[in-house]
Every structure is written in C-alpha cells, then in structure tokens.
Amino acid sequence: MSTHTPPRRADAAAVLEADGVSHAFGEVAALQGADLRVTDGECLALVGESGSGKTTLLRCFNALVRPSTGRLRVRGRAVADSDPVALRRSMGYVPQQGGLLPHWTVGRNVALVPTLLGRSNPEAAARAALERVGLPAVEFADRWPRTLSGGQRQRAALARALAAGPDLVLMDEPLGALDALARAELRHELGALIRDAGVTVLLVTHDLHEAAELADRIAVMKDGRVLQADTLDRLRAAPSDPYVTELLDRGLGSAVAP
Amino acid sequence: MTAGASLRSRGAALVLLLSTVFGPATSLTGQEVSGSVPTEPIVVASKPFAESFLLAELFAQRLEAVGIPVDRRPGLGATDLAFRALRTGAIDVYPEYTGTGLAAILGLEPEGDAADVYGIVSTRFMERYGVRWMPPLGFENSYAIAVRPETADSLNLRTLSDLAAAAPDLVAGFSPDFIGRPDGLPGLAATYDLRFEETRPLLQSVKYPAIAEGAVDVIDGYTTDGGLDRYGLVVLDDDADFFPPYEAAALLRPGLAAARPDVVAALAPLSGRLDAATMRRANRRIEVDGQEPAVVAAELLAGLSLGAPGATTATPSPDVADTGLAEFIWSRRGETARQTLRHLWLVAIALGAATLLAVPLGVTLARRPTVAEPVVRATGVLQTIPSIALLAFMIPLFGIGVGPAVIALFLYAVFPILRNTWSGVRDADPDAVDAARALGMTDGQILLRVRLPLAAPVVMAGVRVSAVIAVGTATLAAFIGAGGLGDPIVAGLALSDERLIISGALPAALLALVVDAGLSLVESAVRPRGLSED
C-alpha cells in the first residue's frame, strides 16, 4: 500500500470537497485556505482546538457559511451553484445542543425533513427513525423536548437527521453537551448507527477519543487550515507537522495504542 | 366653510373611520359623527378649574335657554390646550381672562387699566387669530398671592414688596401654569426681586390644604377663589402693579361670530352682569359646599332672568357635600359604567392599531439589525414625551376629542409591543433556529413556524404592558375632551372634590387590573405548550 493511497474505499467518489477555502467573521479569520476531501461512505472527524475553524468548515458544506474565497463541492456539485434549501434538506444535521424545536413534540421534530420534502406519511418515517436510535416511538413521539434527558435529546436529534434517509450527515459536537457517562454510552451506539446506515459523516469534535472510535480518518485543523487528514495510525506514524503529534498526545496520551 | 370647521370635520372623519373599522363601538361615538345635522351644536369648553367650569356651564345653559344645542367639553388641559383648540376650531367658545390673553398668549408686557387691556386683546386677537373677545362679564379675577395670617403677622407682611424681603425663608406652592407664565412667577420674581427658599409646583386642588397645614407658606390663588375665605388667608397687595387686569369674557373661535350671530346675541346679555362678590359666592358654593357647577350656573342665570323660561331642570341639592363616599360612587354608577365603556373603547382601538403596526414592524426589524436599533430607539423617545405635551401637539393636527386621544394613546402603545416583538423574534431559541435552517426550512418557514410561535408570549407581554399604560394614560385624554374615566378625575381636581376624583380613579385602577389579568390569560394561551411548565 502506497502512502498516498487513502486507507478505505480508495476508489470512492468525493462527497465533500473543499479547496483553499478562506473566510473571516469581520476581522477574525476563521478559515485560511482549508482543503478537505470526504469520500463516499466514510466517517471523517475534524479535530482541533477551539477557534481552529472546524465548525466553520462544516457549516460551509450546508451553506450556512458563505466563504469569501475557495471552492466547495457536495456530491461533485459546487455549493455556490446549489439551492441552499434543497442542499440542506438532502443532508442530516446534528448540532451540539440537539436544536430540537421546543414547541414541537419529539415526533413532529423528527418528521421535519420528510415533511419539508413532501414525503407521504412523514409520521411513519419519524417513528421508524426514533426506533433506530433507541427511543420507542410509542413512548417518545408525543413528548415535549424539554422533558427529555440530554442523551435522549441527542438521540432524538440524530433520529431527525436520519429520518429522511440522507446519504450524508453533518455532526457538530453531537455528544459535546453530554456528561461523561451519557457520552461514553452514546458514543458506542453512534458508531454502530453510522456503520449500519452506511452514510457519509463529517463529524466535528474536540474529543480525540470520540474521533478515534468513530472516524475512519481524522483531519487535524489549526489556524483555519487542515494540517493533515489520515488514519490515526498514519497520523501517528507520519505526522506532517509537529503539531499533529502534539495534539494527539494531548488528546489521547502518548502511549495509546490505536 | 371655514378652516376651523374643515378641521373639525376632518376630526369627525377620522372618528368615523375608526368607528367603521372597529364596528361594535360605533354607538358610543354617535355624538361625534353627527357633524352633518343642520344645526351643529356649539362646542362650549373650559379650562380645568372651578370658575372656568362654572362660566362654561353659564354659557352653555344660556345658549340652551334660547334653543341652541350645546356640546360641553369642560376641563381642557390649561390655557395653551384650550386656546389651541379654539384657534383651530375644535371648540367654539370658552371663558378666558383678558390679562391671560395679553401676557400668556400675546406675550405682551402688562400695561394700562382694564379697558386698555380689553382694547389691546380684542384688537390683536382678531388681527392675529381671527378670535373674538365678547365684552367682559363684569368681574376681575386676578392672581392672589396669599399667606397664612400667622405668617403675615410674624413677618409683618402686607404687600408683595414686604414678601420679597422675607421670601428666602419661605416655601412657595404655585400652580405649574403660574410657574411657567410670563405674567406668573417669572415676571413676578423679576419685578419684586423674589427668591423663595423653594418653589413647589402644586395643583389647584391641593394648594389650599397644603398652605393650611403648613406644607408651604405662600400660594397663588385667584381673587375670586372660595378657598381664600375658607382658610382665612391674607392676600398680599400687588404694590408695584405687576398683575394686569384679568377680566373674564367669552372667547369665540374664528368665524363663529359671522356664521352664528344667534350665539353672539345669546351671550351678549351676560356682559357686565356678574360682579366679583357674586362670583366669590358662586365659587364658594362649588369649591366649599360641593355644589355642582350646573346647579350654580342655573341659579346665576335665574338671578339675571336669563335662564330658560320656567326652567327648573337643575335643582339645588344642598346635602350634596354630606353624601358618603360609597353612596356618592353608587349614585354615579350609570355615569361610571358609560365612562368605563368609553375608556375601554379608547384603549382597545389604540391598542389594536398599535399591535397591527408594531408586530409586523418588529418582525421586519428583527431581520434588519442595522436599522432596527435607530427605529426602536426613536419610538422609545416618543415614549418620553409627557402625555399632556403630546396631547397638546395633537390639537392643531386633529382637533380635540376621541380622534387625537386615540392617536396619542396609539403612539404610546407602539413602543412596548415593537420592542418585545423585535427582541422576541430576534432572540428566539438560537439553537432551534439554527437547526431549523440547517435542516432546510426556508426563511419564511423559520419565521412563521419557529420564531413567531416562540416569540408569541414575549409579544403578548409587550401588549400587556402597553394596555396597562394606555388605561392609565387614557385618563389624561379628558384634558382634550375625549371623555372616559378621566372626566370625573379632571373635574374633581378642578373642583377640589375628592369623591369625584376617586369615582374616576378607582374604576380606572380596577380596569387596569382587569385588563392586565385578561391579557395574562391570553399570554398563557399563546405560550406554546412545549414551553410551559405544566
């Protein structure tokens, strides 16, 4: 195996591509020439410190952020040329706080995207999605979001992201708001769900354990750039920058076996 | 058609428009929209103090005695409001004093005797405003600077020059009107070099009790006030002849004399018929004995043989001052119910219109942060205009009555609703809004299905605040003749009748509580179920 060959699905098409993407919020530069490629079916984790630009890069792919320079493609099509609403409906989204609409029942929340897409029987899709994430529909569909625990809320958000059966899901710190116990429990289930669903996942996290367990590849970001994107093994074996090793050591400990 | 009449009909048109939009309340404004009947009633107004009420009632009953229909608007704000209303044709007649016309309206230095002053004001008012002074009624009512007899004795005060020497140790309580007028405190202080230890603005109704109890040492009264006698006060002599002669007379709006010679003919026989002693007695009947101005006016007219032939409609009720408060309030229940309805109607129209404007505007502003701050701040500034000043600004534009009152209430009601809608929509659960957008809701869907439902309780809280403010402010609408529960309050303040004040203030306070409670139910009803703690 050559060092240039991606570890998995080397022949797979790129679902998400960023080339030289830069963006600033006022005076603050969030992205400074970021490059990224996420291939079909893989789970890629964006890791880095606060302010490194991981969330901004994720939000470029669903057109919530319009970068000032650089090229972005989703499924081979330029984001700039796409209808943002249609683009967003085509992919799932799981934010840190769940983002459930507080005035809608859990069932109605989960049925959101199928409803927006005009699918027949969105309620049935919502019930099926709830079952998949371990929230029995008969018990949870009619409850209000504020009555759920943190873990249940993130499960419901995940169900909402998956309900319309997208091939791509963006997750922004999906476990970040949970306590350690709930996070560890949900992490395992999330990994199984991602594999079963066969979806492409772009996962933003600051937790390297989470990245190591869930992701096929890890992209290390610093100062608005992607320093290196590869498997954990290769990042360990052939870091492109001393910072890659430093971040891994800080986040995982230097002696962790992959 | 004169300018005044066209203004008034514009006001009537506005009322007509409002009552068409808010149909169910139309019957309450029946009198305002009847501008098309052949003999339009003569609008007789007064300023908010007892003698002005009495003279207006005298004019009104005199006109009615010869068969001229009258619309009474007693208690208009003060000189500025009343004269503005007359000049713009919103009212037809009100009693004014020549010295006030000279100094406060024309801004001239007092000079000459009573006949000179009448000559100056009648010429200048006609030239400048087209306003006509009827010949004076026959008595003067000047300012009376008064002290307690003990104060006069111990400090040896007889004249205003004596007062100037003692003033640095004395506290003055003057009416706000007097404090501001050139023929009031500013001119007086300059003429006599007066400097009090402190000057407190006091309403007419509390001045006499305040000096009697020693809260203040010096007050401004009127020479015909009943209170001077009642409290045995010493009136200091105006030894430098500062105050001009204040002869009372009827003031007629521009064009009235030409259009309605019958009005002039009816009022003319009153000229020169009322002397100061008669007026002091009459004022005392109202201020001290608690008699109604209508009753006292009827007695005066009967005494002059100028009343309606054989009219005994207003029978004196000598025991009126002895009636208990509860009994008094109960006896006015029909009137109170009518005034409460009128009050509620003023508030409802203003609040409804403010909501219809402020909610869409607030929603629009929530999406335009750069213009939002200046616009919200501008409506906030509107909130800081004193209600009386805002009502005064309304008169040249909309006349007096329901129209300008509703517009003023509307302007006050906009800000709380606008601010709450703007911030409620803007700050609606940011995580939920972000997720809704990221999952493909359009801007319109986010607004209608996420932001507005989440903001609804906040918007309603703003409506509630506006409603309570409007119920309170609407009491001031009585100063521009809009009716409502402010009527008994203004009349009570003018006539020093506490029971009358309470009979308006109590239902107004209850109304505020009921409106607040009602809207709090609406607020709960619009709160999305997912947000409530049940």
Side-chain angles (χ1 to χ4, degrees):
Chain A
M1 225 197 283
S2 128
T3 52
H4 295 292
T5 312
R8 203 172 76 131
R9 301 200 189 190
D11 53 340
V15 175
L16 301 175
E17 293 165 275
D19 287 309
V21 173
S22 296
H23 187 70
F25 296 103
E27 297 291 302
V28 183
L31 293 175
Q32 304 186 70
D35 301 312
L36 189 71
R37 214 178 126 82
V38 181
T39 55
D40 190 14
E42 81 168 327
C43 174
L44 183 134
L46 278 176
V47 301
E49 295 169 75
S50 297
S52 60
K54 10 182 234 303
T55 291
T56 306
L57 184 56
L58 175 136
R59 291 167 76 84
C60 284
F61 287 115
N62 59 6
L64 291 174
V65 171
R66 298 289 193 167
S68 35
T69 56
R71 285 185 313 172
L72 289 158
R73 288 174 179 276
V74 173
R75 302 185 193 95
R77 180 143 184 241
V79 170
D81 299 337
S82 307
D83 168 25
V85 168
L87 180 70
R88 290 168 193 156
R89 289 175 185 176
S90 75
M91 57 179 90
Y93 178 70
V94 184
Q96 182 169 2
Q97 303 291 344
L100 298 175
L101 306 186
H103 58 306
W104 284 8
T105 60
V106 170
R108 193 173 172 199
N109 264 286
V110 174
L112 174 65
V113 183
T115 306
L116 290 173
L117 290 170
R119 301 264 175 86
S120 61
N121 208 350
E123 294 80 11
R127 282 194 297 273
L130 280 171
E131 301 288 349
R132 276 169 78 189
V133 300
L135 298 176
V138 63
E139 185 186 342
F140 286 93
D142 293 330
R143 284 174 63 174
W144 298 107
R146 74 180 163 81
T147 68
L148 302 184
S149 71
Q152 290 168 338
R153 214 169 287 178
Q154 292 308 106
R155 283 170 197 265
L158 189 63
R160 184 172 64 176
L162 297 173
D167 61 347
L168 171 63
V169 179
L170 307 183
M171 300 188 186
D172 188 359
E173 300 276 10
L175 310 178
L178 303 180
D179 61 67
L181 206 64
R183 189 186 308 185
E185 182 193 321
L186 198 51
R187 192 201 292 165
H188 301 306
E189 288 192 42
L190 188 57
L193 265 168
I194 290 171
R195 276 188 297 278
D196 292 351
V199 291
T200 306
V201 174
L202 179 61
L203 168 76
V204 161
T205 179
H206 65 277
D207 179 348
L208 281 152
H209 291 286
E210 189 177 310
E213 177 166 344
L214 296 178
D216 300 307
R217 290 192 303 145
I218 295 172
V220 177
M221 289 194 73
K222 184 172 190 284
D223 299 334
R225 260 184 290 273
V226 178
L227 293 182
Q228 191 175 8
D230 218 325
T231 61
L232 183 57
D233 288 350
R234 284 171 188 277
L235 293 178
R236 284 284 195 202
S240 68
D241 188 295
Y243 179 78
V244 173
T245 306
E246 184 196 325
L247 188 79
L248 294 179
D249 287 350
R250 268 203 332 238
L252 298 170
S254 49
V256 167
Chain B
M1 190 183 244
T2 66
S6 83
L7 252 180
R8 186 134 39 91
S9 63
R10 199 191 305 166
L14 180 79
V15 171
L16 185 61
L17 175 72
L18 290 173
S19 39
T20 310
V21 175
F22 302 91
T26 309
S27 60
L28 277 170
T29 51
Q31 63 206 71
E32 273 80 18
V33 296
S34 61
S36 56
V37 298
T39 46
E40 213 173 306
I42 295 299
V43 182
V44 179
S46 82
K47 295 200 278 186
F49 55 90
E51 186 171 281
S52 198
F53 272 64
L54 173 60
L55 294 177
E57 191 55 46
L58 196 72
F59 298 161
Q61 291 186 19
R62 174 63 195 147
L63 293 172
E64 285 169 343
V66 299
I68 298 172
V70 169
D71 185 2
R72 289 169 172 79
R73 297 290 175 90
L76 294 189
T79 304
D80 184 51
L81 277 180
F83 184 67
R84 213 181 269 231
L86 184 86
R87 208 176 72 188
T88 56
I91 59 175
D92 294 310
V93 186
Y94 84 94
E96 190 50 281
Y97 301 87
T98 55
T100 302
L102 182 78
I105 298 175
L106 294 175
L108 299 178
E109 292 288 323
E111 57 174 311
D113 63 12
D116 295 336
V117 170
Y118 178 75
I120 294 169
V121 294
S122 52
T123 312
R124 296 286 183 90
F125 269 63
M126 186 51 76
E127 284 169 7
R128 199 182 287 185
Y129 309 113
V131 166
R132 167 137 173 203
W133 285 85
M134 293 289 289
L137 297 167
F139 69 95
E140 280 190 36
N141 185 7
S142 185
Y143 279 112
I145 305 302
V147 295
R148 282 184 302 277
E150 308 89 83
T151 314
D153 286 346
S154 64
L155 297 172
N156 200 20
L157 304 180
R158 282 182 41 255
T159 66
L160 289 175
S161 297
D162 297 340
L163 180 64
D169 296 322
L170 299 175
V171 176
F174 292 147
S175 58
D177 201 31
F178 183 78
I179 290 173
R181 288 166 55 153
D183 59 331
L185 185 61
L188 191 73
T191 303
Y192 287 100
D193 195 22
L194 267 181
R195 274 180 240 300
F196 292 102
E197 184 190 344
E198 193 188 338
T199 301
R200 294 191 188 155
L202 290 181
L203 283 178
Q204 174 74 5
S205 54
V206 300
K207 257 186 296 189
Y208 287 101
I211 193 169
E213 286 161 20
V216 297
D217 305 307
V218 184
I219 61 164
D220 66 310
Y222 304 116
T223 49
T224 54
D225 276 354
L228 292 173
D229 280 352
R230 183 188 184 184
Y231 294 100
L233 301 179
V234 175
V235 177
L236 301 175
D237 185 40
D238 179 18
D239 51 327
D241 287 328
F242 167 72
F243 291 117
Y246 293 88
E247 287 190 297
L251 214 50
L252 308 185
R253 74 154 164 89
L256 184 71
R260 300 293 300 269
D262 55 329
V263 172
V264 177
L267 294 178
L270 290 170
S271 294
R273 300 290 299 278
L274 297 168
D275 61 30
T278 306
M279 284 310 294
R280 236 189 324 268
R281 268 199 310 278
N283 288 336
R284 205 191 147 98
R285 295 264 291 133
I286 296 171
E287 291 175 308
V288 181
D289 304 340
Q291 194 53 269
E292 288 185 28
V295 172
V296 180
E299 291 167 0
L300 283 176
L301 279 181
L304 299 171
S305 308
L306 290 174
T312 50
T313 42
T315 45
S317 41
D319 59 338
V320 66
D322 304 326
T323 319
L325 177 64
E327 203 181 326
F328 178 77
I329 289 176
W330 180 245
S331 72
R332 293 186 79 262
R333 61 193 182 278
E335 184 84 347
T336 303
R338 197 181 55 75
Q339 284 163 341
T340 305
L341 274 179
R342 163 65 73 96
H343 203 90
L344 202 56
W345 179 71
L346 288 172
V347 169
I349 291 181
L351 197 64
T355 306
L356 288 180
L357 173 80
V359 170
L361 183 59
V363 168
T364 310
L365 291 178
R367 298 173 64 173
R368 288 172 180 73
T370 47
V371 293
E373 287 280 355
V375 171
V376 174
R377 205 168 295 151
T379 60
V381 166
L382 209 59
Q383 205 76 3
T384 67
I385 301 175
S387 340
I388 283 290
L390 187 62
L391 291 171
F393 294 147
M394 293 287 125
I395 292 180
L397 300 171
F398 307 108
I400 63 164
V402 169
V406 166
I407 292 169
L409 291 176
F410 161 81
L411 291 176
Y412 282 123
V414 168
F415 177 65
I417 305 175
L418 179 67
R419 183 195 50 199
N420 278 29
T421 306
W422 167 61
S423 65
V425 169
R426 185 195 56 183
D427 302 339
D429 189 339
D431 291 327
V433 169
D434 179 64
R437 176 170 295 120
L439 289 167
M441 273 196 174
T442 62
D443 286 348
Q445 288 168 330
I446 291 170
L447 179 63
L448 292 176
R449 289 155 74 173
V450 183
R451 287 188 187 273
L452 274 179
L454 292 178
V458 185
V459 174
M460 269 313 298
V463 172
R464 234 174 112 183
V465 169
S466 284
V468 173
I469 291 175
V471 169
T473 311
T475 55
L476 293 171
F479 278 124
I480 57 170
L485 291 167
D487 268 356
I489 297 176
V490 168
L493 283 171
L495 306 174
S496 308
D497 187 339
E498 283 170 19
R499 294 172 315 169
L500 205 48
I501 297 173
I502 292 171
S503 75
L506 194 66
L510 290 176
L511 189 61
L513 288 175
V514 168
V515 166
D516 188 52
L519 289 176
S520 88
L521 292 179
V522 179
E523 193 179 321
S524 310
V526 299
R527 173 178 291 275
R529 278 185 58 216
L531 299 186
S532 44
E533 298 296 324
D534 49 44

